[in-house]
Amino acid sequence: MKRILFSLVTITSLMACDTKNTTTTSNNYPSNAFGYTLNSTTNTDLVKKGLHALITNDTATYKDTYSSNAIFHHNTDSMNLSQNMSLIKARIDSKIEMKILGVPEVWELVNNDKDKNGINHYVLSFIDFQITKGVRSIKLTISFCDLIKDGKQVEEYLIYDRTSIEALMK
């Protein structure tokens, strides 16, 4: 009996000292990497939801994807949410239709460190639109950068050829 008890204590002690194999993942990022990209997230879905609402003229849903104090930068012009909604209303009132051509390129960049406003999630996209007024139509590529915080778009940068839109409006 003493041998059995001694054997159990010895085996238990050896098992307790055994190293456990734990699997950890490590990234292979270069030492100067400051973040990573993802092709499908809740934030990319949020931006796509806003884009869909924009082209279907669903202003309530569009507005709901942004924080109440969101800032928009159209090329070099900056505006708040109310001013941006006024532009959308003017587009709708002018009977200008927007359609997304092809599959939009949308991805999320996540920085390791937050910026001065506490943001480290950015959704980037390049989207080809067909914009139509009456019988005239143009193709316009718009580059978006949406800053996301707490499930809302808080800032948006858009870069596009404004002269194409002005020509369509004539």
Side-chain angles (χ1 to χ4, degrees), residues 18-109:
D18 188 20
T19 57
K20 293 186 178 188
N21 290 333
T22 57
T23 304
T24 59
T25 58
S26 64
N27 63 50
N28 293 325
Y29 299 147
S31 61
N32 61 344
F34 57 85
Y36 55 92
T37 59
L38 302 165
N39 65 356
S40 180
T41 66
T42 56
N43 290 335
T44 58
D45 290 344
L46 175 72
V47 170
K48 288 177 183 178
K49 178 181 176 181
L51 282 168
H52 179 73
L54 178 67
I55 63 170
T56 60
N57 300 332
D58 181 355
T59 55
T61 299
Y62 175 82
K63 186 176 180 181
D64 188 51
T65 65
Y66 292 90
S67 72
S68 60
N69 59 348
I71 302 295
F72 299 81
H73 307 280
H74 288 253
N75 294 324
T76 57
D77 297 333
S78 295
M79 63 192 75
N80 62 30
L81 180 59
S82 177
Q83 293 165 319
N84 191 65
M85 294 305 295
S86 294
L87 282 179
I88 293 169
K89 183 180 180 329
R91 178 188 57 83
I92 294 169
D93 291 346
S94 297
K95 308 270 190 267
I96 296 174
E97 297 177 18
M98 294 180 73
K99 177 181 171 186
I100 294 177
L101 301 172
V103 178
E105 297 288 332
V106 181
W107 69 95
E108 181 173 0
L109 168 65

Side-chain angles (χ1 to χ4, degrees), residues 33-36 110-116 118-122:
F34 57 85
Y36 55 92
V110 181
N111 284 346
N112 294 332
D113 298 320
K114 294 182 178 183
D115 70 9
K116 63 182 177 176
I119 298 169
N120 66 330
H121 292 266
Y122 306 85

Side-chain angles (χ1 to χ4, degrees), residues 102-143:
V103 178
E105 297 288 332
V106 181
W107 69 95
E108 181 173 0
L109 168 65
V110 181
N111 284 346
N112 294 332
D113 298 320
K114 294 182 178 183
D115 70 9
K116 63 182 177 176
N117 297 316
I119 298 169
N120 66 330
H121 292 266
Y122 306 85
V123 175
L124 305 160
S125 54
F126 293 95
I127 302 174
D128 292 325
F129 290 93
Q130 180 176 329
I131 302 175
T132 305
K133 181 175 182 181
V135 295
R136 295 185 310 168
S137 180
I138 61 167
K139 179 183 171 191
L140 182 68
T141 301
I142 301 178
S143 171

